[in-house]
Amino acid sequence: MKNRSGLLSLTVDWLLASATAVGGLYCLITAFGLTVNSPVLCIWIAAFAGLQVFCLSRKKWGVFALLTGAIFLLACLYYRTGLGNEAKYVWQTLLNLYQNGYDWLAGLFSVELVEPGMDVTGFFAALAVPVVWLLCLGLVRCRRAVVGFLAVLPLVTACYVLIDTPPAAWALLVLSGALLLQFLTQNICRRAPQSSGGAVLYLLLPTLLLLALAVHFDPPQTYERADVLERISAWADSVAQNVDYGDGTGQVERPNPVELNTLDAQSQSNRIVMYVTSDVEGVIYLRGTAYSGFDGRQWTARTDRDWSAYDDAVATLSGGSRETFSVRVATLNKQYLLYTPYYLAECPAGVRIVSDAYLINDGGETDYTLSCGVQPELSAAAAEAEADYRQAVYEDNLYLPEETKQALLALAEQAGISDLPRQQQPQAVAEYVRSAAEYDIAPEVLPQGEDFCVWFLTQAKTGYCVHFATAATAMLRALEIPARYVTGYAAWMQAGQATPVTQAQAHAWTEYYADGCGWIRLEATPGSAQALRQTVTEEQTETGETQTATTHTDAGQTGAQTETGQTKPTEAETTRPDREPDGGAASGQQTGGDGAKLHLPWWLWVVLAVLALPAVLVLRRQLVLSLWRRRLKAAEGNEKALLYWRRLEKLCRCLHRQPEDDLRQLAQRARFSQHSLTQEELERLSGAVTAAQQTLAAAPVGRRLYYRYILALI
């Protein structure tokens, strides 16, 4: 009977360890969408848990533990290449999400670009070894549930660093149930180990009923954050609304105005924002917020007009159902706004159109495929609808301050642009603006009182995409061509491959309206193609903006993408990635950076950090002691006595004793009396400091190292 009870207890321990490990590991797997071979991983966890339960139940369990550890290390060394690649992929996936959620992480780690979908079964099989061993140790030897809880705590904690990466409900329930059973039965297991199996089975049904009732009355889809978290989130949102996002390119949740007077040098981030898959190779523009309002100092997204009356024109200019190919966009986080390329065949589901400016992602989509069409010839009815839409476009996208307009008209006349036919003027404007200055992410600052557009075209020597796009848009308006400033992302696509798009690829460009055709993209930034193919380094990034504004499109602000040279395209156009955004010849593919720049693997940075830590501690100790000795040397009389006394207090706290009363009285005299202490009294304080330091120097090695390098007292 005793043997049967023991076998039952071991079997229950095995099941609990397996369930807890599966729940904990799959919390991490499901939260971050990682790919594993579930049958293989679960069988491995169960088999390893059974082996460890058997080994830990033996008298010489320590020998088995050492043997298991040795075999595990040898296996990791043998499969180090595959495990290293999978570990690197998991690290990059988690860190990319964290960096998108917390801006302050952007400068701490450099993350290489990765492609989604790697199978990481091997990594999680290796990770299961220490997790399962700790679980079995807590169940079989320690008989404490806290050991198992600590084993899986890092896995679950990683899921809740961000609010939009929760684990799957089933994994969380399996983990919760297994841990709850361990906590409920640990006292019985410690007092009567042979009865632990029966106790678990006895409480199994009540535990399952408790979890079922919790899910029934409070299903996962109704879960809400605590009120305090909601208040914190609301406060953060209110702060974010008042933050200056710089040049208005990239990814944020609201289209804040683009302030031109405050533009300065831009840093850049290689944080991955999304993965984009296209059927063809080339540069693709993902349209974002269209800014129509302009007062000479800032761009604003106008949302005061109701564009619902122009839906027919919008559908016509969108390309209808003549699909040519699709573009898949997979964002790392749920985003407030939606990214779309040009020429959408239809508006995605779960999307709310805001005026003629952008799309709100009400459905919370993070992976969506967009059908892209061609621009059809307009029928008579469609042409009439387009004419109504055109009138509204002219009303909203021609305004300029009068002084700015006259100055830009004068520049256009000097350059001969005004004399060209209307259909040739947009390309001429783009060429003129491109030649006005050189591209640089650290441009000159706008002098106070200067008109931004006129200053940039006549005096500035450098600028980045915001400067060029603003100047081109304003000059087109001066020529009575409706134009607007657009933000988004521009990236070099490899056909059929998931291409990572980073914050460094945030971009700004111009759209102008061609009668009977629609909105046409115009690229005025010089060297765009070369910059898009090499977006990680400072010299070769198209936009190195980390502080960015929204970049999302609107099916109502239908955009037609052309080769920037024609107002009315000579043939049907598509949203296919362009071969070159600025008219030049482009070849090659997007790279992760400059080949001359050294990129060290993440694990080498960890090794270097570990090696550098002792040196930092030694240098810190030398600096602290040097500063104290310098102050002591410069001090005289009572000031020197107080320096000795403060150091003596620190030393005595480490020795867990109080300074002598006569020394305390000397310190009080030095502080409050107008008479200086004698040399003999100073030597008494100095001697007490020296004696305390000698006592600390005789402490055990661990404490001595703590006193020497952490506290810097000896």
Side-chain angles (χ1 to χ4, degrees):
M1 189 70 177
K2 184 176 180 180
N3 291 335
R4 290 183 179 179
S5 299
L7 181 60
L8 177 61
S9 297
L10 292 179
T11 302
V12 169
D13 290 341
W14 167 61
L15 292 174
L16 283 177
S18 301
T20 308
V22 168
L25 291 171
Y26 271 87
C27 279
L28 188 64
I29 292 169
T30 56
F32 294 96
L34 300 170
T35 303
V36 296
N37 189 327
S38 293
V40 172
L41 181 59
C42 292
I43 291 173
W44 163 252
I45 291 174
F48 187 73
L51 177 63
Q52 292 310 304
V53 167
F54 173 79
C55 294
L56 289 169
S57 64
R58 304 296 95 186
K59 290 184 179 180
K60 297 184 178 180
W61 64 273
V63 176
F64 290 106
L66 292 175
L67 183 61
T68 301
I71 295 175
F72 173 66
L73 290 176
L74 290 175
C76 289
L77 288 174
Y78 184 79
Y79 295 105
R80 61 184 179 277
T81 302
L83 289 176
N85 290 336
E86 293 182 18
K88 183 178 180 181
Y89 172 81
V90 174
W91 163 260
Q92 291 170 343
T93 300
L94 269 65
L95 190 58
N96 275 313
L97 285 168
Y98 293 156
Q99 287 184 337
N100 277 281
Y102 301 99
D103 288 337
W104 58 270
L105 283 174
L108 298 181
F109 300 96
S110 177
V111 182
E112 298 178 7
L113 308 183
V114 296
E115 295 185 5
M118 177 183 288
D119 190 302
V120 290
T121 304
F123 169 78
F124 279 96
L127 182 60
V129 171
V131 172
V132 170
W133 190 84
L134 286 173
L135 287 169
C136 294
L137 180 68
L139 287 166
V140 179
R141 305 302 304 186
C142 301
R143 302 291 180 181
R144 293 183 181 274
V146 68
V147 177
F149 175 75
L150 293 176
V152 296
L153 180 62
L155 304 176
V156 181
T157 302
C159 305
Y160 290 99
V161 173
L162 300 172
I163 63 173
D164 53 357
T165 56
W170 71 264
L172 198 57
L173 289 174
V174 169
L175 177 62
S176 301
L179 288 176
L180 183 59
L181 282 172
Q182 293 181 48
F183 277 104
L184 291 176
T185 60
Q186 68 174 350
N187 289 332
I188 298 175
C189 294
R190 292 173 63 186
R191 290 196 303 266
Q194 300 297 328
S195 304
S196 61
V200 171
L201 293 179
Y202 182 78
L203 292 173
L204 178 60
L205 184 58
T207 302
L208 293 178
L209 288 175
L210 180 62
L211 292 175
L213 289 173
V215 173
H216 176 74
F217 289 105
D218 193 11
Q221 57 267 29
T222 65
Y223 290 172
E224 295 182 357
R225 288 181 290 174
D227 291 340
V228 63
L229 294 179
E230 293 293 347
R231 290 196 295 270
I232 294 174
S233 178
W235 172 81
D237 288 343
S238 66
V239 173
Q241 293 180 12
N242 297 322
V243 174
D244 177 15
Y245 286 94
D247 57 17
T249 61
Q251 171 200 4
V252 296
E253 290 193 349
R254 292 174 178 85
N256 291 336
V258 182
E259 300 286 349
L260 301 175
N261 294 342
T262 59
L263 292 181
D264 54 9
Q266 295 296 308
S267 58
Q268 61 185 14
S269 170
N270 66 341
R271 287 186 293 167
I272 299 175
V273 176
M274 70 186 85
Y275 292 91
V276 181
T277 307
S278 174
D279 293 344
V280 291
E281 178 180 344
V283 174
I284 190 170
Y285 282 74
L286 298 171
R287 297 180 69 248
T289 301
Y291 292 86
S292 297
F294 184 64
D295 61 4
R297 299 183 303 274
Q298 67 176 5
W299 288 104
T300 55
R302 296 191 58 178
T303 58
D304 53 349
R305 180 187 289 272
D306 182 10
W307 290 93
S308 60
Y310 306 100
D311 287 343
D312 292 339
V314 167
T316 299
L317 298 175
S318 296
S321 60
R322 297 177 58 186
E323 181 181 346
T324 57
F325 68 101
S326 62
V327 175
R328 178 185 176 187
V329 179
T331 60
L332 293 188
N333 288 339
K334 295 178 183 177
Q335 295 173 347
Y336 181 77
L337 301 173
L338 205 73
Y339 294 93
T340 61
Y342 281 81
Y343 280 103
L344 289 182
E346 59 181 357
C347 185
V351 173
R352 176 161 50 97
I353 301 173
V354 177
S355 187
D356 191 30
Y358 50 86
L359 288 177
I360 296 180
N361 184 16
D362 283 337
E365 297 294 331
T366 58
D367 192 337
Y368 46 93
T369 300
L370 303 170
S371 300
C372 306
V374 299
Q375 182 184 18
E377 293 294 331
L378 299 181
S379 63
E384 182 178 352
E386 186 274 332
D388 294 336
Y389 178 73
R390 181 197 316 166
Q391 181 179 356
V393 167
Y394 271 72
E395 292 175 1
D396 286 357
N397 296 276
L398 279 177
Y399 176 76
L400 275 180
E402 188 61 29
E403 293 183 2
T404 303
K405 181 177 181 179
Q406 296 303 323
L408 293 179
L409 277 177
L411 293 176
E413 291 177 359
Q414 293 176 8
I417 300 176
S418 301
D419 299 330
L420 296 174
R422 183 180 176 86
Q423 66 178 10
Q424 297 180 12
Q425 288 180 349
Q427 180 62 23
V429 168
E431 293 175 355
Y432 176 77
V433 173
R434 276 199 295 268
S435 63
E438 296 182 356
Y439 181 88
D440 194 336
I441 62 173
E444 306 168 55
V445 178
L446 175 68
Q448 188 173 3
E450 292 284 347
D451 182 282
F452 180 86
C453 298
V454 178
W455 167 79
F456 177 70
L457 292 174
T458 59
Q459 301 180 43
K461 295 181 174 56
T462 57
Y464 47 84
C465 61
V466 182
H467 300 76
F468 292 98
T470 296
T473 305
M475 182 167 281
L476 287 173
R477 290 189 173 193
L479 294 168
E480 300 298 326
I481 298 176
R484 60 190 182 185
Y485 174 92
V486 181
T487 62
Y489 284 88
W492 185 273
M493 297 287 105
Q494 288 292 314
Q497 297 183 11
T499 301
V501 177
T502 68
Q503 283 195 346
Q505 290 164 288
H507 192 38
W509 61 91
T510 297
E511 284 181 353
Y512 67 93
Y513 195 84
D515 298 349
C517 177
W519 290 105
I520 299 176
R521 178 184 57 79
L522 186 70
E523 180 61 79
T525 304
S528 299
Q530 292 81 356
L532 288 172
R533 291 198 304 272
Q534 299 179 351
T535 58
V536 179
T537 61
E538 290 185 358
E539 298 82 1
Q540 298 167 323
T541 302
E542 170 56 32
T543 60
E545 290 93 1
T546 50
Q547 293 180 334
T548 58
T550 57
T551 62
H552 306 270
T553 190
D554 174 351
Q557 62 178 58
T558 316
Q561 178 176 349
T562 71
E563 291 297 326
T564 74
Q566 300 291 333
T567 301
K568 177 72 176 177
T570 57
E571 59 183 58
E573 295 182 349
T574 73
T575 185
R576 292 181 180 276
D578 295 331
R579 298 304 301 171
E580 179 76 27
D582 55 358
S587 62
Q589 64 181 20
Q590 178 183 351
T591 63
D594 189 348
K597 193 171 182 178
L598 179 62
H599 294 280
L600 298 179
W602 66 269
W603 59 266
L604 186 55
W605 285 112
V606 174
V607 173
L608 292 176
V610 172
L611 294 177
L613 182 59
V616 171
L617 292 177
V618 171
L619 291 175
R620 175 184 173 277
R621 174 179 179 271
Q622 295 296 331
L623 178 62
V624 171
L625 293 178
S626 176
L627 291 175
W628 186 77
R629 294 188 185 108
R630 182 179 300 178
R631 291 183 61 191
L632 190 65
K633 185 177 180 180
E636 294 181 357
N638 291 356
E639 183 181 358
K640 179 176 290 188
L642 290 176
L643 289 174
Y644 280 128
W645 172 249
R646 295 190 189 103
R647 191 162 187 84
L648 181 60
E649 283 187 316
K650 294 180 181 178
L651 293 168
C652 288
R653 281 198 297 269
C654 295
L655 293 171
H656 302 289
R657 69 187 188 191
Q658 294 294 327
E660 297 177 7
D661 291 339
D662 58 340
L663 296 178
R664 186 182 300 276
Q665 292 175 1
L666 288 178
Q668 291 177 349
R669 285 176 52 195
R671 182 176 183 181
F672 300 108
S673 176
Q674 297 181 354
H675 301 284
S676 299
L677 298 184
T678 64
Q679 185 64 31
E680 181 181 355
E681 290 171 331
L682 287 175
E683 289 177 357
R684 287 181 59 191
L685 288 170
S686 174
V689 170
T690 303
Q693 289 177 327
Q694 292 174 349
T695 303
L696 291 180
V701 176
R703 292 186 180 181
R704 189 163 65 248
L705 292 175
Y706 175 72
Y707 298 146
R708 184 179 297 273
Y709 296 107
I710 303 301
L711 300 181
L713 292 176
I714 59 176

